[in-house]
Amino acid sequence: MTEAVELRARRREDADVLAAIHTRSRAAAMPWLAVLHDEAETRGWMRGVVLAHQQVLVAERDGRPVGFAAVEGEWLEQLYVAPESIGTGVGQALLDAVKADRPTGLSLYVFARNTRARRFYEAAGFVLVAESDGRDNEEREPDCTYRWSGISG
């Protein structure tokens, strides 16, 4: 069921709530994924890296953040939706907005075992371009690189 969602630019005060969405979403979608950082570290990363260096779009329902996307250059670095909002159109709204802002294309990484996310991105026109054994990510989890070629003219 798709419900109305409002999109807005990030605010400095979003760090804690976005870190919580990140942590809860990863735990719900990927219970097999190693948890390498505690809540304080995740909040610090959200403040010092994501909000400081990436273009962040926040999805809200009733004035409450329920998801976010973060882009740096041509890379979709983060797209996370609160577990209770998965399947309600939040992720699609965020991805559509990011694609509209990057009409020449976009790349992303996704863990190989995250089949739901892989299906989501494939349905949105992303194509698998590479696979790795995980030696280059901190979780040491096999991952995939996907690319969306952009809006063809």
Side-chain angles (χ1 to χ4, degrees), residues 110-112 114-122 128 144 146:
V110 63
F111 293 114
N114 192 350
T115 55
R116 183 175 186 158
R118 291 180 68 180
R119 285 193 307 267
F120 171 74
Y121 292 120
E122 289 167 1
L128 177 66
C144 303
Y146 278 85

Side-chain angles (χ1 to χ4, degrees), residues 40 42 50 58 111 147:
T42 302
V50 178
V58 177
F111 293 114
R147 178 80 185 151

Side-chain angles (χ1 to χ4, degrees), residues 4-147:
V5 63
E6 299 286 329
L7 301 179
R8 64 164 173 82
R10 61 105 175 118
R11 299 178 187 136
R12 184 174 34 244
E13 64 268 19
D14 288 329
D16 291 351
V17 70
L18 298 186
I21 289 171
H22 176 269
T23 300
R24 292 187 318 111
S25 178
R26 284 170 69 105
M30 300 173 286
W32 38 263
L33 188 63
V35 177
L36 303 177
H37 303 284
D38 65 22
E39 290 180 38
E41 290 172 319
T42 302
R43 286 192 303 269
W45 166 79
M46 186 62 66
R47 258 186 217 92
V49 176
V50 178
L51 295 179
H53 301 289
Q54 298 173 1
Q55 181 180 347
V56 180
L57 190 60
V58 177
E60 288 186 335
R61 283 217 173 99
D62 302 319
R64 182 178 62 85
V66 293
F68 71 97
V71 178
E72 190 168 357
E74 290 189 2
W75 285 88
L76 177 59
E77 298 287 349
Q78 319 291 328
L79 195 157
Y80 288 98
V81 176
E84 64 275 10
S85 294
I86 291 173
T88 64
V90 173
Q92 191 64 58
L94 287 164
L95 186 58
D96 289 347
V98 168
K99 287 169 68 176
D101 194 50
R102 297 292 193 282
T104 59
L106 200 58
S107 296
L108 61 88
Y109 294 109
V110 63
F111 293 114
R113 288 199 282 171
N114 192 350
T115 55
R116 183 175 186 158
R118 291 180 68 180
R119 285 193 307 267
F120 171 74
Y121 292 120
E122 289 167 1
F126 284 79
V127 175
L128 177 66
V129 295
E131 295 179 85
S132 90
D133 61 8
R135 77 177 72 182
D136 293 329
N137 64 56
E138 69 178 341
E139 294 87 355
R140 300 295 182 243
E141 181 70 31
D143 61 12
C144 303
T145 304
Y146 278 85
R147 178 80 185 151

